Amino acid sequence: MSRVLVTGAASGLGAALVARFVADGHQVLGTDVSPDAPGSTPYLKLDVRSPADWDAAVAWCEENWDGLDILVNNAGIATGGRIDVETLDEWDRVVDINLMGVVRGCRAFVPLFKRQRSGQIVNTASAAGLVHPPMMSSYNTVKAGVVALSETLSHELGPYGVNVSVVCPSFFRTNLADSIRGADSAMGATARHLIEKSPRSADDIAAVVIAGIKKKQHLIIPDRPAQLAYWTKRFVRPLYTRQMRRIAARAHERAETRR
């Protein structure tokens, strides 16, 4: 039985992961920005932008569990837009939450994992961290950063017995679309459509992620569209480039039509 902390646990993939960890018999601490507990499992308010909240989470795990086995840095927001439309304030927000939130979580718990000489860090990135569609500069950038951070830490922390996994799903149904805001409303509407119309649920993704965590896989790509995009980019680069250019052309046509 493992001791697990999940950020962004109040909804979406975080809630689905909590449910599956609990069903497997693990002890789970759910965390989110809301002060109200969303379920019956132990819950702690944690804003991933707050170092003080991270310190409190470490203290809770030490006081109540005498340590931690699995840290799931899952909290995040959806964003995106054309480079000349999305504002720098929007860039600052997504960097602070989606990238620096993961960095803060790793920094907070790595000293504990090093002392234990054991532990597992699971960082939720996105297929956008591996393949980079147009009109998603900020989202692609922060998720690629999470992928790079995860690979770096997998090497850095290996000597301490700490495993690092990174999760890279494509679009799946979740309330993540509710976090979309910003100047490029056309791109936001497209992202919302892709999220809400996906045939995959958060629980579908969580099932594959949990299996990957059990196997201590480094790169967990939990759905076929993300896998196809990743392998196409790696091995059939001209086809991948043509697909990205087609996406950009269609988006350009829609943007021009709205003028």
Side-chain angles (χ1 to χ4, degrees):
M1 181 173 65
S2 296
R3 301 158 295 180
V4 185
L5 186 153
V6 180
T7 69
S11 60
L13 180 58
L17 289 170
V18 167
R20 285 195 169 266
F21 275 123
V22 170
D24 285 349
H26 301 296
Q27 298 181 83
V28 182
L29 174 63
T31 73
D32 213 303
V33 292
S34 171
D36 301 317
S40 58
T41 57
Y43 177 82
L44 191 68
K45 178 184 178 297
L46 193 161
D47 184 337
V48 297
R49 296 169 292 185
S50 168
D53 282 4
W54 278 111
D55 289 343
V58 173
W60 191 99
C61 292
E62 291 180 320
E63 292 168 9
N64 292 274
W65 288 343
D66 195 33
L68 185 71
D69 299 305
I70 302 174
L71 167 66
V72 184
N73 285 309
N74 170 75
I77 59 172
T79 187
R82 291 160 287 184
I83 190 65
D84 56 334
V85 180
E86 189 176 13
T87 69
L88 291 179
D89 285 343
E90 293 168 47
W91 271 85
D92 287 342
R93 178 172 177 257
V94 72
V95 169
D96 200 19
I97 296 172
N98 286 18
L99 178 56
M100 293 308 299
V102 176
V103 171
R104 293 185 190 99
C106 293
R107 281 180 54 84
F109 276 94
V110 159
L112 172 61
F113 287 152
K114 283 184 174 182
R115 290 196 301 271
Q116 294 178 165
R117 301 197 72 83
S118 67
Q120 186 168 4
I121 297 171
V122 181
N123 296 327
T124 298
S126 166
L130 303 173
V131 298
H132 308 125
M135 284 73 71
M136 293 176 58
S137 295
S138 62
Y139 195 74
N140 292 348
T141 298
V142 295
K143 293 301 186 180
V146 173
V147 172
L149 172 67
S150 302
E151 181 181 339
T152 302
L153 295 185
S154 72
H155 305 312
E156 181 177 328
L157 301 178
Y160 295 92
V162 179
N163 188 76
V164 181
S165 299
V166 61
V167 179
C168 296
S170 65
F171 294 102
F172 60 94
R173 295 192 308 279
T174 178
N175 64 339
L176 186 64
D178 295 339
S179 67
I180 297 174
R181 65 182 72 166
D184 200 339
S185 57
M187 295 305 105
T190 298
R192 177 179 289 275
H193 175 79
L194 290 170
I195 291 169
E196 294 177 347
K197 300 301 180 182
S198 171
R200 294 167 295 280
S201 68
D203 188 62
D204 294 333
I205 300 299
V208 183
V209 171
I210 293 290
I213 292 172
K214 289 179 180 177
K215 297 175 184 176
K216 295 188 176 180
Q217 290 177 236
H218 172 65
L219 180 59
I220 303 174
I221 307 178
D223 60 273
R224 185 165 176 77
Q227 293 166 0
L228 287 173
Y230 175 65
W231 291 112
T232 300
K233 181 178 181 178
R234 286 199 65 183
F235 296 111
V236 198
R237 187 60 182 253
L239 175 59
Y240 166 80
T241 300
R242 287 198 298 273
Q243 290 173 334
M244 294 299 108
R245 296 293 171 83
R246 289 193 195 103
I247 292 170
R250 289 196 296 269
H252 172 73
E253 291 172 4
R254 288 194 296 268
E256 291 298 310
T257 300
R258 291 189 178 96
R259 284 188 174 183

